[in-house]
Every structure is written in structure tokens, then in C-alpha cells.
Coordinates of all heavy atoms in Angstrom, one line a residue:
M1 N -95.1 -235.2 2.9 CA -95.0 -236.0 4.2 C -93.7 -236.8 4.1 O -93.3 -237.4 3.1 CB -96.2 -237.0 4.2 CG -96.2 -237.9 5.5 SD -97.5 -239.0 5.6 CE -98.9 -238.0 5.9
S2 N -92.9 -236.7 5.2 CA -91.6 -237.4 5.3 C -91.8 -238.9 5.5 O -92.9 -239.4 5.8 CB -90.8 -236.8 6.5 OG -91.4 -237.3 7.7
V3 N -90.7 -239.6 5.3 CA -90.8 -241.1 5.5 C -91.1 -241.4 6.9 O -92.0 -242.3 7.2 CB -89.4 -241.7 5.1 CG1 -89.4 -243.2 5.5 CG2 -89.1 -241.6 3.6
S4 N -90.5 -240.7 7.9 CA -90.8 -240.9 9.3 C -92.3 -240.6 9.6 O -92.9 -241.4 10.3 CB -90.0 -240.0 10.1 OG -88.6 -240.3 10.0
E5 N -92.8 -239.6 9.0 CA -94.3 -239.3 9.2 C -95.1 -240.3 8.7 O -96.1 -240.7 9.2 CB -94.6 -237.9 8.6 CG -94.0 -236.8 9.4 CD -94.1 -235.4 8.7 OE1 -94.1 -235.4 7.5 OE2 -94.2 -234.4 9.4
S6 N -94.7 -240.8 7.5 CA -95.5 -241.8 6.7 C -95.5 -243.1 7.6 O -96.5 -243.8 7.7 CB -94.9 -242.0 5.4 OG -95.7 -242.8 4.6
L7 N -94.3 -243.5 8.1 CA -94.2 -244.7 8.9 C -95.1 -244.6 10.2 O -95.6 -245.6 10.6 CB -92.7 -245.0 9.2 CG -91.8 -245.5 8.1 CD1 -90.4 -245.6 8.6 CD2 -92.3 -246.9 7.6
A8 N -95.1 -243.4 10.7 CA -95.9 -243.2 11.9 C -97.4 -243.5 11.8 O -98.1 -243.6 12.7 CB -95.6 -241.9 12.5
Q9 N -97.8 -243.4 10.5 CA -99.3 -243.6 10.2 C -99.6 -245.1 10.3 O -100.8 -245.5 10.4 CB -99.5 -243.2 8.8 CG -99.3 -241.7 8.5 CD -100.3 -240.8 9.1 OE1 -101.5 -241.1 9.1 NE2 -99.9 -239.8 9.8
N10 N -98.6 -246.0 10.3 CA -98.9 -247.4 10.3 C -99.4 -247.8 11.6 O -99.2 -247.3 12.7 CB -97.6 -248.2 10.0 CG -97.2 -248.1 8.5 OD1 -98.1 -248.0 7.6 ND2 -95.9 -248.0 8.3
C11 N -100.2 -248.9 11.6 CA -100.7 -249.5 12.9 C -100.1 -250.9 13.0 O -100.0 -251.7 12.1 CB -102.2 -249.6 12.7 SG -103.0 -250.3 14.2
Y12 N -99.6 -251.2 14.2 CA -98.9 -252.5 14.5 C -99.6 -253.3 15.6 O -100.0 -252.6 16.6 CB -97.4 -252.2 14.9 CG -96.6 -251.5 13.8 CD1 -96.6 -250.2 13.9 CD2 -96.0 -252.2 12.8 CE1 -95.8 -249.5 12.9 CE2 -95.2 -251.5 11.9 CZ -95.1 -250.2 11.9 OH -94.4 -249.5 11.0
H13 N -99.6 -254.6 15.5 CA -100.0 -255.4 16.5 C -98.9 -256.4 16.7 O -99.0 -257.6 16.3 CB -101.3 -256.2 16.2 CG -102.5 -255.2 16.0 ND1 -103.0 -254.5 17.0 CD2 -103.1 -254.8 14.9 CE1 -104.0 -253.8 16.5 NE2 -104.1 -253.9 15.2
P14 N -97.8 -256.0 17.4 CA -96.6 -256.9 17.5 C -96.9 -258.1 18.3 O -97.6 -258.0 19.4 CB -95.5 -256.0 18.1 CG -96.2 -254.9 18.7 CD -97.5 -254.7 18.0
D15 N -96.3 -259.3 17.9 CA -96.4 -260.5 18.7 C -95.2 -260.3 19.8 O -94.3 -259.5 19.6 CB -96.1 -261.7 17.8 CG -96.4 -263.0 18.5 OD1 -97.4 -263.1 19.2 OD2 -95.5 -263.9 18.4
R16 N -95.3 -261.1 20.8 CA -94.3 -261.0 21.8 C -93.0 -261.6 21.3 O -91.9 -261.1 21.7 CB -94.6 -261.7 23.1 CG -95.6 -261.0 23.9 CD -95.9 -261.7 25.2 NE -96.6 -263.0 25.0 CZ -96.5 -264.0 25.8 NH1 -95.9 -263.9 26.9 NH2 -97.1 -265.2 25.4
R17 N -93.1 -262.6 20.5 CA -91.8 -263.2 19.9 C -91.5 -262.6 18.6 O -92.4 -262.3 17.7 CB -92.1 -264.8 19.7 CG -92.1 -265.5 21.0 CD -92.2 -267.0 20.8 NE -91.3 -267.4 19.8 CZ -91.5 -268.3 18.8 NH1 -92.7 -268.9 18.8 NH2 -90.6 -268.7 18.0
S18 N -90.2 -262.5 18.4 CA -89.7 -261.9 17.1 C -90.0 -262.9 15.9 O -89.8 -264.1 16.1 CB -88.3 -261.6 17.1 OG -87.8 -261.1 15.9
H19 N -90.3 -262.5 14.8 CA -90.5 -263.3 13.6 C -89.3 -263.4 12.7 O -89.3 -264.1 11.7 CB -91.8 -262.8 12.8 CG -91.6 -261.4 12.3 ND1 -91.7 -260.4 13.2 CD2 -91.4 -260.9 11.1 CE1 -91.6 -259.2 12.5 NE2 -91.4 -259.5 11.2
I20 N -88.3 -262.6 13.1 CA -87.0 -262.6 12.4 C -85.9 -262.8 13.5 O -85.9 -262.1 14.5 CB -86.8 -261.3 11.7 CG1 -87.9 -261.1 10.6 CG2 -85.4 -261.3 11.0 CD1 -87.8 -259.7 9.9
D21 N -85.0 -263.7 13.3 CA -83.9 -263.9 14.2 C -82.6 -263.8 13.5 O -82.4 -264.2 12.3 CB -84.0 -265.3 14.8 CG -85.3 -265.6 15.6 OD1 -85.7 -264.7 16.3 OD2 -85.9 -266.7 15.4
L22 N -81.6 -263.1 14.2 CA -80.3 -263.0 13.7 C -79.5 -264.2 14.0 O -79.7 -264.9 15.0 CB -79.6 -261.8 14.4 CG -80.1 -260.4 14.0 CD1 -79.5 -259.3 15.0 CD2 -79.7 -260.1 12.6
Q23 N -78.5 -264.5 13.1 CA -77.5 -265.5 13.4 C -76.7 -265.1 14.6 O -76.7 -263.9 14.9 CB -76.6 -265.8 12.2 CG -77.2 -266.2 10.9 CD -77.5 -267.8 11.0 OE1 -77.2 -268.4 12.0 NE2 -78.0 -268.3 9.9
D24 N -76.2 -266.0 15.3 CA -75.3 -265.7 16.5 C -74.1 -264.8 16.2 O -73.8 -263.9 16.9 CB -74.8 -266.9 17.2 CG -76.0 -267.7 17.9 OD1 -77.0 -267.0 18.2 OD2 -75.9 -268.9 18.0
D25 N -73.5 -265.0 15.0 CA -72.3 -264.3 14.7 C -72.4 -263.7 13.3 O -72.1 -264.4 12.3 CB -71.1 -265.3 14.7 CG -69.8 -264.6 14.7 OD1 -69.8 -263.4 14.9 OD2 -68.8 -265.2 14.5
V26 N -73.0 -262.5 13.2 CA -73.2 -261.9 11.9 C -71.9 -261.1 11.6 O -71.4 -260.3 12.4 CB -74.4 -260.9 12.0 CG1 -74.6 -260.1 10.7 CG2 -75.6 -261.5 12.4
D27 N -71.4 -261.3 10.3 CA -70.2 -260.7 10.0 C -70.4 -259.1 9.7 O -71.5 -258.7 9.5 CB -69.4 -261.4 8.8 CG -69.8 -260.9 7.5 OD1 -70.4 -259.8 7.3 OD2 -69.4 -261.6 6.5
E28 N -69.4 -258.4 9.8 CA -69.5 -256.9 9.8 C -70.1 -256.4 8.5 O -70.9 -255.5 8.6 CB -68.1 -256.3 10.1 CG -68.1 -254.8 10.2 CD -69.1 -254.3 11.2 OE1 -69.3 -254.9 12.3 OE2 -69.7 -253.2 10.9
Q29 N -69.8 -257.0 7.4 CA -70.3 -256.5 6.1 C -71.8 -256.8 6.0 O -72.5 -255.9 5.6 CB -69.6 -257.3 5.0 CG -69.8 -256.7 3.7 CD -69.0 -257.4 2.6 OE1 -68.3 -258.4 2.8 NE2 -69.0 -256.9 1.4
Q30 N -72.2 -257.9 6.5 CA -73.7 -258.2 6.6 C -74.4 -257.3 7.5 O -75.5 -256.8 7.3 CB -73.9 -259.7 6.9 CG -73.3 -260.7 6.1 CD -73.9 -260.8 4.7 OE1 -75.1 -260.7 4.6 NE2 -73.2 -261.2 3.7
A31 N -73.8 -257.0 8.7 CA -74.4 -256.2 9.7 C -74.6 -254.7 9.2 O -75.7 -254.1 9.3 CB -73.5 -256.2 11.0
A32 N -73.5 -254.2 8.5 CA -73.7 -252.9 7.9 C -74.7 -252.8 6.8 O -75.4 -251.8 6.7 CB -72.3 -252.5 7.3
L33 N -74.8 -253.9 6.1 CA -75.8 -253.9 5.0 C -77.2 -253.9 5.6 O -78.1 -253.2 5.2 CB -75.6 -255.2 4.2 CG -76.5 -255.3 2.9 CD1 -76.3 -254.2 2.0 CD2 -76.1 -256.6 2.2
L34 N -77.4 -254.7 6.7 CA -78.8 -254.7 7.3 C -79.1 -253.3 7.9 O -80.3 -252.9 7.8 CB -78.8 -255.8 8.4 CG -78.9 -257.2 7.9 CD1 -78.6 -258.2 9.0 CD2 -80.2 -257.5 7.3
E35 N -78.1 -252.7 8.5 CA -78.4 -251.3 9.1 C -78.8 -250.4 8.0 O -79.7 -249.5 8.2 CB -77.1 -250.8 9.7 CG -76.8 -251.3 11.1 CD -75.6 -250.7 11.6 OE1 -74.5 -250.9 11.1 OE2 -75.7 -249.8 12.5
K36 N -78.3 -250.5 6.8 CA -78.5 -249.6 5.7 C -79.8 -249.9 5.0 O -80.5 -249.0 4.6 CB -77.4 -249.7 4.8 CG -77.3 -248.5 3.8 CD -76.1 -248.7 2.9 CE -74.8 -248.5 3.6 NZ -73.6 -248.5 2.8
I37 N -80.2 -251.2 4.8 CA -81.3 -251.4 3.9 C -82.7 -251.5 4.6 O -83.7 -251.4 3.9 CB -81.1 -252.7 3.0 CG1 -80.8 -253.9 3.9 CG2 -79.9 -252.5 2.1 CD1 -82.0 -254.8 4.1
C38 N -82.8 -251.7 5.8 CA -84.1 -251.9 6.5 C -84.8 -250.5 6.5 O -84.3 -249.5 7.0 CB -84.0 -252.3 7.9 SG -85.6 -252.4 8.7
P39 N -85.9 -250.3 5.7 CA -86.6 -249.1 5.6 C -87.1 -248.6 7.0 O -87.3 -247.4 7.1 CB -87.7 -249.3 4.6 CG -87.9 -250.8 4.6 CD -86.6 -251.4 5.0
A40 N -87.3 -249.4 7.9 CA -87.8 -249.0 9.2 C -86.7 -248.8 10.2 O -86.9 -248.4 11.4 CB -88.8 -250.0 9.7
G41 N -85.4 -249.1 9.8 CA -84.3 -248.9 10.7 C -84.3 -249.8 12.0 O -83.9 -249.3 13.1
L42 N -84.7 -251.1 11.8 CA -84.8 -251.9 12.9 C -83.6 -252.7 13.3 O -83.5 -253.3 14.4 CB -85.9 -252.9 12.6 CG -87.3 -252.3 12.3 CD1 -88.3 -253.4 12.0 CD2 -87.8 -251.4 13.4
F43 N -82.6 -252.6 12.5 CA -81.3 -253.2 12.8 C -80.3 -252.1 13.3 O -80.0 -251.2 12.6 CB -80.6 -253.9 11.6 CG -81.5 -255.1 11.1 CD1 -82.4 -254.9 10.1 CD2 -81.3 -256.3 11.6 CE1 -83.2 -256.0 9.6 CE2 -82.0 -257.4 11.1 CZ -83.0 -257.2 10.1
Q44 N -80.0 -252.2 14.6 CA -79.2 -251.2 15.2 C -78.0 -251.8 16.0 O -77.9 -253.0 16.1 CB -80.1 -250.3 16.1 CG -81.2 -249.6 15.3 CD -82.2 -249.0 16.3 OE1 -82.0 -249.0 17.5 NE2 -83.2 -248.4 15.7
R45 N -77.2 -251.0 16.6 CA -76.1 -251.4 17.4 C -76.4 -251.2 18.9 O -76.9 -250.2 19.2 CB -74.8 -250.7 17.0 CG -74.4 -250.8 15.6 CD -73.9 -252.1 15.2 NE -73.5 -252.1 13.8 CZ -72.6 -252.9 13.3 NH1 -71.9 -253.7 14.0 NH2 -72.3 -252.8 12.0
D46 N -75.9 -252.1 19.7 CA -76.0 -251.9 21.1 C -74.8 -251.1 21.6 O -73.9 -250.8 20.8 CB -76.2 -253.3 21.9 CG -75.1 -254.1 21.9 OD1 -73.9 -253.7 21.4 OD2 -75.2 -255.3 22.3
A47 N -74.7 -250.9 22.9 CA -73.6 -250.1 23.4 C -72.2 -250.7 23.1 O -71.2 -250.0 23.1 CB -73.7 -249.9 24.9
D48 N -72.2 -252.1 22.9 CA -70.9 -252.7 22.6 C -70.7 -252.9 21.1 O -69.7 -253.6 20.7 CB -70.9 -254.2 23.2 CG -71.0 -254.1 24.8 OD1 -70.4 -253.1 25.4 OD2 -71.7 -254.9 25.4
G49 N -71.6 -252.3 20.3 CA -71.3 -252.3 18.9 C -71.9 -253.6 18.2 O -71.7 -253.8 17.0
R50 N -72.6 -254.4 19.0 CA -73.2 -255.7 18.4 C -74.5 -255.3 17.7 O -75.3 -254.5 18.2 CB -73.4 -256.7 19.5 CG -72.2 -257.4 20.0 CD -72.5 -258.5 20.9 NE -73.2 -257.9 22.1 CZ -72.8 -257.9 23.3 NH1 -71.8 -258.6 23.7 NH2 -73.5 -257.3 24.3
L51 N -74.8 -256.0 16.6 CA -76.0 -255.8 15.9 C -77.2 -256.4 16.7 O -77.2 -257.5 17.2 CB -76.0 -256.5 14.5 CG -77.1 -256.2 13.6 CD1 -77.1 -254.7 13.1 CD2 -77.1 -257.2 12.4
I52 N -78.2 -255.6 16.8 CA -79.5 -256.0 17.5 C -80.7 -255.7 16.5 O -80.6 -254.9 15.7 CB -79.7 -255.3 18.9 CG1 -79.7 -253.8 18.7 CG2 -78.7 -255.8 19.9 CD1 -80.0 -253.1 20.0
F53 N -81.8 -256.4 16.8 CA -82.9 -256.3 15.9 C -84.2 -256.0 16.8 O -84.4 -256.7 17.8 CB -83.1 -257.5 15.1 CG -84.4 -257.6 14.3 CD1 -84.7 -256.6 13.3 CD2 -85.4 -258.5 14.6 CE1 -85.8 -256.6 12.6 CE2 -86.5 -258.5 13.9 CZ -86.8 -257.6 12.9
H54 N -85.0 -255.1 16.4 CA -86.3 -254.7 17.1 C -87.4 -255.1 16.1 O -87.6 -254.5 15.1 CB -86.4 -253.3 17.4 CG -85.2 -252.7 18.2 ND1 -85.1 -252.9 19.6 CD2 -84.1 -252.1 17.8 CE1 -84.0 -252.3 20.0 NE2 -83.4 -251.8 19.0
H55 N -88.1 -256.2 16.5 CA -89.1 -256.7 15.5 C -90.5 -255.9 15.5 O -91.2 -256.0 14.5 CB -89.5 -258.1 15.8 CG -90.3 -258.4 17.0 ND1 -89.8 -258.3 18.3 CD2 -91.6 -258.6 17.1 CE1 -90.7 -258.6 19.2 NE2 -91.9 -258.7 18.5
Q56 N -90.7 -255.1 16.5 CA -92.0 -254.4 16.7 C -92.4 -253.6 15.5 O -93.6 -253.4 15.3 CB -92.1 -253.6 18.0 CG -92.0 -254.5 19.2 CD -90.6 -254.8 19.7 OE1 -89.6 -254.5 19.0 NE2 -90.5 -255.3 20.9
G57 N -91.5 -252.9 14.9 CA -91.9 -252.0 13.8 C -91.7 -252.5 12.4 O -91.6 -251.8 11.4
C58 N -91.6 -253.8 12.3 CA -91.3 -254.4 11.0 C -92.4 -254.2 10.0 O -93.6 -254.3 10.3 CB -91.1 -255.9 11.2 SG -90.7 -256.8 9.6
L59 N -92.1 -253.8 8.8 CA -92.9 -253.6 7.7 C -93.2 -254.9 6.8 O -94.1 -254.8 6.0 CB -92.3 -252.5 6.7 CG -92.0 -251.2 7.4 CD1 -91.2 -250.3 6.4 CD2 -93.3 -250.5 7.8
E60 N -92.6 -255.9 7.2 CA -92.8 -257.2 6.5 C -92.5 -257.1 5.0 O -93.1 -257.8 4.2 CB -94.1 -257.8 6.8 CG -94.4 -258.1 8.2 CD -95.8 -258.4 8.6 OE1 -96.5 -258.9 7.8 OE2 -96.3 -258.0 9.7
C61 N -91.5 -256.2 4.7 CA -91.2 -256.0 3.2 C -90.3 -257.1 2.7 O -90.2 -257.3 1.5 CB -90.5 -254.6 3.1 SG -88.9 -254.5 3.9
G62 N -89.5 -257.8 3.5 CA -88.6 -258.8 3.1 C -87.3 -258.4 2.5 O -86.5 -259.2 2.1
C63 N -87.0 -257.1 2.6 CA -85.7 -256.6 2.1 C -84.5 -257.3 2.8 O -83.5 -257.7 2.2 CB -85.5 -255.1 2.2 SG -86.6 -254.2 1.3
C64 N -84.6 -257.4 4.1 CA -83.4 -258.1 4.8 C -83.3 -259.5 4.4 O -82.1 -259.9 4.2 CB -83.7 -258.0 6.3 SG -85.3 -258.7 6.9
R65 N -84.3 -260.2 4.2 CA -84.3 -261.6 3.7 C -83.7 -261.7 2.3 O -82.8 -262.6 2.1 CB -85.6 -262.2 3.7 CG -85.6 -263.7 3.4 CD -87.0 -264.3 3.4 NE -87.0 -265.7 3.4 CZ -88.1 -266.4 3.3 NH1 -89.3 -265.8 3.2 NH2 -88.0 -267.7 3.3
L66 N -84.1 -260.8 1.4 CA -83.5 -260.8 0.1 C -82.0 -260.4 0.1 O -81.3 -261.0 -0.7 CB -84.3 -259.8 -0.8 CG -85.7 -260.2 -1.2 CD1 -86.4 -259.1 -1.9 CD2 -85.6 -261.4 -2.1
M67 N -81.6 -259.5 0.9 CA -80.2 -259.0 0.8 C -79.2 -259.9 1.5 O -78.1 -260.1 1.0 CB -80.2 -257.6 1.4 CG -80.9 -256.5 0.7 SD -80.3 -256.4 -1.0 CE -78.8 -255.6 -0.8
V68 N -79.6 -260.5 2.7 CA -78.6 -261.3 3.4 C -79.0 -262.8 3.6 O -78.1 -263.6 3.8 CB -78.2 -260.7 4.8 CG1 -77.7 -259.3 4.6 CG2 -79.4 -260.7 5.7
G69 N -80.3 -263.0 3.6 CA -80.8 -264.4 3.7 C -80.2 -265.1 4.9 O -80.0 -264.5 6.0
D70 N -79.9 -266.4 4.7 CA -79.3 -267.2 5.8 C -78.0 -266.8 6.3 O -77.5 -267.3 7.3 CB -79.3 -268.7 5.3 CG -80.6 -269.3 4.9 OD1 -81.6 -268.7 5.4 OD2 -80.7 -270.3 4.3
A71 N -77.3 -266.0 5.5 CA -75.9 -265.5 5.9 C -76.0 -264.8 7.2 O -75.0 -264.9 8.0 CB -75.3 -264.7 4.8
A72 N -77.1 -264.1 7.5 CA -77.2 -263.3 8.7 C -78.4 -263.6 9.5 O -78.5 -263.2 10.7 CB -77.0 -261.8 8.4
L73 N -79.4 -264.2 8.8 CA -80.7 -264.4 9.6 C -80.9 -265.9 9.8 O -80.9 -266.7 8.8 CB -81.8 -263.8 8.7 CG -81.8 -262.4 8.3 CD1 -83.0 -262.0 7.5 CD2 -81.7 -261.5 9.6
S74 N -81.1 -266.3 10.9 CA -81.4 -267.7 11.2 C -82.9 -268.1 11.0 O -83.2 -269.2 10.8 CB -81.0 -268.1 12.7 OG -81.7 -267.4 13.6
A75 N -83.8 -267.0 11.0 CA -85.2 -267.3 10.7 C -85.8 -266.0 10.2 O -85.5 -264.9 10.6 CB -85.9 -267.8 12.0
W76 N -86.7 -266.2 9.2 CA -87.6 -265.1 8.7 C -88.8 -265.8 8.4 O -89.0 -266.6 7.5 CB -86.9 -264.5 7.4 CG -87.6 -263.2 7.1 CD1 -86.9 -261.9 7.2 CD2 -88.9 -262.9 6.6 NE1 -87.8 -261.0 6.8 CE2 -89.0 -261.5 6.4 CE3 -89.9 -263.7 6.2 CZ2 -90.2 -260.9 5.9 CZ3 -91.1 -263.1 5.8 CH2 -91.2 -261.7 5.6
R77 N -89.9 -265.3 9.1 CA -91.3 -265.8 8.8 C -92.2 -264.6 9.0 O -91.8 -263.6 9.7 CB -91.5 -266.9 9.7 CG -91.3 -266.6 11.2 CD -91.2 -267.9 12.1 NE -90.7 -267.5 13.4 CZ -89.5 -267.5 13.8 NH1 -88.5 -267.9 13.0 NH2 -89.2 -267.1 15.0
Y78 N -93.4 -264.7 8.5 CA -94.4 -263.7 8.8 C -94.8 -263.9 10.3 O -94.8 -265.0 10.8 CB -95.6 -263.8 7.9 CG -95.3 -263.2 6.5 CD1 -95.1 -264.1 5.4 CD2 -95.1 -261.9 6.3 CE1 -94.8 -263.7 4.2 CE2 -94.8 -261.4 5.0 CZ -94.7 -262.3 4.0 OH -94.3 -261.9 2.7
P79 N -95.3 -262.8 10.9 CA -95.8 -262.9 12.2 C -97.0 -263.7 12.2 O -97.7 -263.9 11.2 CB -96.2 -261.5 12.6 CG -95.3 -260.6 11.7 CD -95.2 -261.4 10.5
P80 N -97.4 -264.3 13.4 CA -98.6 -265.1 13.4 C -99.9 -264.3 13.0 O -99.9 -263.1 13.1 CB -98.7 -265.5 14.9 CG -97.4 -265.2 15.5 CD -96.8 -264.2 14.7
S81 N -100.9 -265.0 12.5 CA -102.1 -264.4 12.1 C -102.7 -263.4 13.3 O -102.7 -263.8 14.4 CB -103.2 -265.4 11.8 OG -104.3 -264.8 11.4
G82 N -103.0 -262.2 12.8 CA -103.6 -261.3 13.8 C -102.5 -260.4 14.4 O -102.9 -259.5 15.2
S83 N -101.3 -260.6 14.1 CA -100.2 -259.7 14.6 C -99.4 -259.2 13.4 O -99.6 -259.6 12.3 CB -99.4 -260.5 15.6 OG -98.8 -261.6 15.1
G84 N -98.5 -258.2 13.7 CA -97.7 -257.6 12.7 C -98.3 -256.3 12.3 O -99.2 -255.7 13.0
I85 N -97.9 -255.9 11.1 CA -98.3 -254.6 10.6 C -99.7 -254.6 10.0 O -100.1 -255.7 9.4 CB -97.4 -254.0 9.6 CG1 -97.7 -252.5 9.2 CG2 -97.3 -254.9 8.3 CD1 -96.6 -251.9 8.4
V86 N -100.5 -253.6 10.2 CA -101.8 -253.5 9.5 C -101.6 -252.5 8.4 O -101.4 -251.3 8.6 CB -102.9 -253.1 10.5 CG1 -104.3 -252.9 9.8 CG2 -103.0 -254.0 11.7
L87 N -101.7 -253.0 7.2 CA -101.5 -252.1 6.0 C -102.7 -251.3 5.8 O -103.8 -251.8 5.8 CB -101.1 -252.9 4.8 CG -99.8 -253.7 4.9 CD1 -99.6 -254.6 3.8 CD2 -98.6 -252.7 5.1
R88 N -102.5 -250.0 5.4 CA -103.6 -249.1 5.1 C -103.5 -248.6 3.7 O -102.4 -248.3 3.2 CB -103.6 -247.9 6.1 CG -103.8 -248.3 7.5 CD -103.7 -247.2 8.5 NE -103.9 -247.7 9.8 CZ -104.2 -246.9 10.8 NH1 -104.2 -245.6 10.7 NH2 -104.4 -247.4 12.0
F89 N -104.5 -248.7 3.0 CA -104.6 -248.3 1.6 C -105.4 -247.1 1.4 O -106.4 -246.9 2.1 CB -105.1 -249.4 0.7 CG -104.3 -250.7 0.8 CD1 -104.7 -251.7 1.6 CD2 -103.1 -250.8 0.0 CE1 -103.9 -252.9 1.7 CE2 -102.4 -252.0 0.1 CZ -102.8 -253.0 1.0
G90 N -105.0 -246.2 0.5 CA -105.8 -245.0 0.2 C -105.5 -243.9 1.1 O -104.7 -243.9 2.0
Ligands
LIG101 S1 -88.8 -257.3 6.6 FE1 -88.3 -255.1 6.0 S2 -89.0 -253.8 7.7 FE2 -88.8 -256.0 8.4 S3 -86.8 -256.1 9.4 FE3 -86.6 -256.9 7.3 S4 -86.1 -255.0 6.0 FE4 -86.8 -254.3 8.0

């Protein structure tokens, strides 16, 4: 099973508000790192090349927080109870 197929097995209950926020001015090195390390590919570029984030498919793994922390993220918290990813075991 590919990574994409595996990710498609997950079940999400996204909150309307993002639980992760980008700083207003993320430097290019941090932006490139976020694009590369997020296993769900949620950090992308808009048509003008600015970094954008889609919170709906977040795996809540914390890689982005560990790699860039406050340098690029103004907030990182878990989604409210009852929302976010539903992990499946087995
Ligand atoms: S917590 Fe993990 S899946 Fe969610 S945005 Fe950060 S790196 Fe991507």
C-alpha cells in the first residue's frame, strides 16, 4: 500500500478553525523545510508563491512544530476535543 493510499484510510473530523497558524512572514528556508517535512503535504504555495497551510488533513504528528517551532508557526495546538484525525489501529 502506498503512502497516499494509507493516508486515504484515515478518518478526519476537522474543526472550522485551524489549530496551526503560520507567522505572517515566514522566511524562505523555513517555508521550504515545512513543504518538505509535512508527511501529509499540507504546506503548499499559492499562485503568488506564498506559503499556505491546509489544516483539514493534519496527522497531528508534530513534525512541523519540532522542525521550525516559533520561527515559522505562531500557534500549534491540538484540535478541540471531538475534532481532528481519528487514529485507527490494526
Ligand atoms: S502536525 Fe504533522 S501533519 Fe500536521 S501540519 Fe504539522 S507536520 Fe503536517
Side-chain angles (χ1 to χ4, degrees):
M1 181 181 288
S2 71
V3 172
S4 297
E5 289 169 333
S6 189
L7 287 172
Q9 301 287 317
N10 290 324
C11 179
Y12 301 92
H13 299 289
D15 191 45
R16 283 185 298 156
R17 289 186 46 220
S18 178
H19 58 288
I20 298 172
D21 298 319
L22 289 169
Q23 296 279 6
D24 290 335
D25 193 16
V26 178
D27 90 15
E28 184 53 38
Q29 192 173 6
Q30 303 285 329
L33 188 56
L34 285 168
E35 282 183 287
K36 195 177 294 183
I37 57 97
C38 177
L42 303 179
F43 296 92
Q44 298 173 2
R45 304 287 181 151
D46 67 11
D48 298 323
R50 286 184 302 240
L51 188 69
I52 55 174
F53 173 64
H54 304 280
H55 74 282
Q56 291 89 350
C58 182
L59 303 169
E60 300 170 31
C61 65
C63 291
C64 54
R65 186 180 192 185
L66 287 172
M67 295 300 289
V68 303
D70 296 344
L73 305 177
S74 61
W76 195 108
R77 53 200 170 262
Y78 285 106
S81 178
S83 59
I85 189 170
V86 177
L87 297 173
R88 297 179 176 191
F89 299 96

